[in-house]
Amino acid sequence: MSNRIKLLALAGVAAIALNACASPRGHSGGTATPDFSSMSNEAKHAAVQDLGAKFQQNPNKQSAIYFAAALRAIGQTGQAVSVLEQAQLKYKNDQDVALAYAKALAEDGKFNRAINVLDASIRLERPDWNALSVKGAVFDQMGQNAEARALYNQALVIAPNEPSLYANLGLSYAMSNQLDQAEKALRRAVSMPKATRKIRLNLALIVGLQGRFDEARSLYARELPAADVEANMAYIRALLTQQNKWDRIKSSS
């Protein structure tokens, strides 16, 4: 599997597991990490300005988590880490802050620190599915795909109807070039009521990488304008060309 495809799959995992809003995790008062990744660049920068001002005015738990998420969306991962380091000192043993901090650390390339933060926050007698999912995503970014999948499956025992877990599982399979298993997991995710647009787009990607271009184009067309559909299809062909698979697909079609 080419590094390019690995990077693409990693981006998908990061988008779903590290950026996605968490569903309720079985305790009241939780603060989910918001997802700004689907916004335009202009909207992302506007969110940074707005949330930064709110954080300066009142640096509480929610404002720290939201501001850090917006910073991550524009690539300011180091600053996001700094914001959440301050929050963790103020809100010790708070799992929402710990998860947000671990996500920021992972996106900043500090994988071992992220794992340490997660391990400190996961209660062995009552593990949190979202924490397990984030830890799995970090393992995937470290190339430890089997360990990541074990965590996703553990999380699915706790939250069997959570589509992001099946999506992460599918993308993890994609990283090890098990595209049939990846598609199976992503189709399971897409069939669930809480499935997001990102999950459906990742299914289109995996279908396209298997050479089923008409089907992939149809899946993209349900979510994207025509120009974006063709841009994605061209990107898939470029990825397959890098893998030396494009000529084989053309000759068999």
Side-chain angles (χ1 to χ4, degrees), residues 31 33 39 42-43 52 55 95-96 98 101 106 111 125 128 145 157 167 170 173 175 185 188 206-208 215 230 238:
T31 300
T33 303
M39 290 182 175
E42 182 179 355
F55 174 72
Q95 188 158 40
D96 295 316
Y101 184 34
F111 301 128
E125 76 281 5
D128 180 304
N145 307 121
V157 173
Y173 278 122
M175 290 181 204
R188 180 74 178 272
I206 297 305
V207 168
E215 185 179 354
E230 293 312 312

Side-chain angles (χ1 to χ4, degrees), residues 195-240:
T196 64
R197 180 172 178 261
K198 285 179 184 172
I199 295 175
R200 294 189 290 272
L201 291 174
N202 276 304
L203 174 61
L205 167 67
I206 297 305
V207 168
L209 289 175
Q210 294 176 81
R212 293 173 8 231
F213 301 123
D214 288 343
E215 185 179 354
R217 182 178 282 104
S218 176
L219 290 169
Y220 276 130
R222 297 175 192 173
E223 310 293 333
L224 300 172
D228 290 345
V229 170
E230 293 312 312
N232 276 275
M233 295 307 301
Y235 188 50
I236 288 173
R237 289 188 176 90
L239 291 171
L240 291 170

